[in-house]
Amino acid sequence: MYSTILRYSNSEFIMLETHTEERTHGSCNKMLLPVSDALYVLSGKWKIPIIIALTFGNKRFGQISKEIPKITDRMLAKELRELELNQLVSRKVYDTIPVTVEYTLTDYGATLQPVIEELAKWGFHHRERMFGETQK
Amino acid sequence: MYSTILRYSNSEFIMLETHTEERTHGSCNKMLLPVSDALYVLSGKWKIPIIIALTFGNKRFGQISKEIPKITDRMLAKELRELELNQLVSRKVYDTIPVTVEYTLTDYGATLQPVIEELAKWGFHHRERMFGETQK
DNA sequence: GTAAGTACTATACCCATGTATAGTACTATA
DNA sequence: TATAGTACTATACATGGGTATAGTACTTAC
């Protein structure tokens, strides 16, 4: 399903890089490409919620499912698979009955924290600006 | 098309906030909500490219169109409209013949720079990690 | 009168993402 | 026997974001 290329980035913006002659500002591309890479890895409705959930400790499938209201099993399984492919999350199977599976944010996944914090900081100010009230 | 609520955030995650009893970690929500707000504002395939383009100077519709390969007029018009709604971009119409329209990144839009830089930084390292080579 | 340059809008369609609902395989417990 | 708990998978469907292609309205230049 995910080729080596797709695993780390989408192809659209790789292509952008090869067409620099069409852009006036080279530095523009230098930002666009990595930003697109980052957003691609975080793409979809559930990856950030899952990552945030795992920053508060290792969790099992069922626990994550309970902590993220409205996510379906299918989506959770799919997103965890993608996060594992990108080495942001690791999966450990325990030989219990029934089998339990523990998901952990990898050290690499933890490097996303500054990104998420910056997004949170901006989102927080945006909310203040739009509503003029502080989030409790 | 966009209600007052939708203009600043998606409704899914507003709902999350009201269901805190289902979450084990309250601080989890405190991050999730603003992060979702931020990602909502930046959502879609073209907003970041447009914002990055405008950080290098005010531009007209046609110029932006040329600088972002493959974007269609329809998408560009739509995304610019949304960015304007969120006050990240301002639109100035000049009484020339034919009419020219200049788009500017607002001061508020410029506050996204740290966010975008953090995304770029992470994306850059991600690319290095996945390819083991530095982007030229 | 027709092309060209401006900034769009209209219409129809495609497809990836996400949803809804059910089913699998295993075993312990009542 | 059947229910419950684990972690999923299968199938079908819906939706919305994006694409493709064309058309609008205005005026100047050829």
Side-chain angles (χ1 to χ4, degrees):
Chain A
M1 191 181 184
Y2 289 91
S3 73
T4 312
I5 292 299
L6 282 180
R7 206 178 86 202
Y8 106 88
S9 175
N10 67 31
S11 51
E12 291 298 329
F13 291 111
I14 287 174
M15 190 219 58
L16 277 184
E17 192 189 34
T18 65
H19 285 203
T20 42
E21 72 279 0
E22 297 179 29
R23 314 297 302 273
T24 38
H25 303 282
S27 40
C28 199
N29 279 316
K30 288 215 183 77
M31 295 207 74
L32 191 45
L33 183 62
V35 169
S36 305
D37 290 346
L39 288 179
Y40 181 79
V41 167
L42 299 176
S43 72
K45 190 171 174 179
W46 303 110
K47 289 201 193 68
I48 298 256
I50 292 170
I51 290 171
I52 293 181
L54 290 179
T55 59
F56 293 96
N58 304 349
K59 306 229 165 75
R60 286 182 291 110
F61 188 91
Q63 290 180 301
I64 303 174
S65 170
K66 262 175 236 142
E67 289 197 10
I68 303 179
K70 302 214 121 183
I71 193 170
T72 60
D73 287 355
R74 182 192 197 271
M75 276 301 108
L76 181 52
K78 202 186 128 216
E79 300 288 63
L80 283 171
R81 229 180 296 134
E82 289 180 28
L83 288 170
E84 204 195 344
L85 266 178
N86 282 307
Q87 306 171 22
L88 304 178
V89 160
S90 69
R91 200 182 105 109
K92 208 185 290 175
V93 182
Y94 288 95
D95 198 13
T96 55
I97 288 167
V99 173
T100 53
V101 180
E102 194 188 56
Y103 290 94
T104 308
L105 196 67
T106 62
D107 289 344
Y108 186 51
T111 64
L112 274 169
Q113 200 128 21
V115 177
I116 292 176
E117 254 162 45
E118 205 63 46
L119 280 166
K121 215 157 58 176
W122 192 87
F124 183 81
H125 289 308
H126 185 58
R127 163 166 290 246
E128 273 186 331
R129 178 193 174 89
M130 288 300 173
F131 281 160
E133 65 190 38
T134 304
Q135 168 189 21
K136 56 170 177 298
Chain B
M1 191 177 184
Y2 289 91
S3 72
T4 312
I5 291 301
L6 281 179
R7 206 178 88 200
Y8 106 89
S9 174
N10 66 32
S11 50
E12 292 297 330
F13 291 110
I14 288 175
M15 190 219 58
L16 278 184
E17 193 191 35
T18 65
H19 286 202
T20 41
E21 72 280 357
E22 297 178 30
R23 311 300 301 274
T24 37
H25 303 282
S27 40
C28 198
N29 278 315
K30 288 213 183 81
M31 295 206 74
L32 191 45
L33 183 62
V35 169
S36 304
D37 290 345
L39 287 179
Y40 182 79
V41 167
L42 300 176
S43 71
K45 188 173 176 178
W46 303 109
K47 290 203 191 69
I48 299 254
I50 293 170
I51 290 172
I52 292 182
L54 291 179
T55 60
F56 294 96
N58 303 349
K59 307 232 165 74
R60 286 181 292 109
F61 189 91
Q63 290 180 302
I64 304 174
S65 170
K66 261 175 237 142
E67 289 197 9
I68 303 179
K70 302 213 121 183
I71 193 169
T72 60
D73 286 355
R74 181 194 198 272
M75 276 300 108
L76 182 51
K78 202 186 128 215
E79 300 288 63
L80 283 171
R81 229 181 296 133
E82 289 179 28
L83 289 170
E84 204 196 345
L85 267 177
N86 282 306
Q87 305 171 22
L88 303 178
V89 160
S90 69
R91 202 182 104 108
K92 209 185 288 176
V93 182
Y94 289 96
D95 199 13
T96 56
I97 287 167
V99 173
T100 52
V101 181
E102 193 187 56
Y103 290 93
T104 307
L105 196 65
T106 62
D107 289 345
Y108 186 52
T111 64
L112 273 168
Q113 200 129 19
V115 177
I116 291 176
E117 254 161 44
E118 205 63 45
L119 280 165
K121 216 159 57 178
W122 192 87
F124 182 81
H125 290 307
H126 185 57
R127 160 165 293 244
E128 273 186 329
R129 177 193 176 89
M130 288 300 173
F131 282 160
E133 66 190 39
T134 304
Q135 165 189 24
K136 52 166 179 297

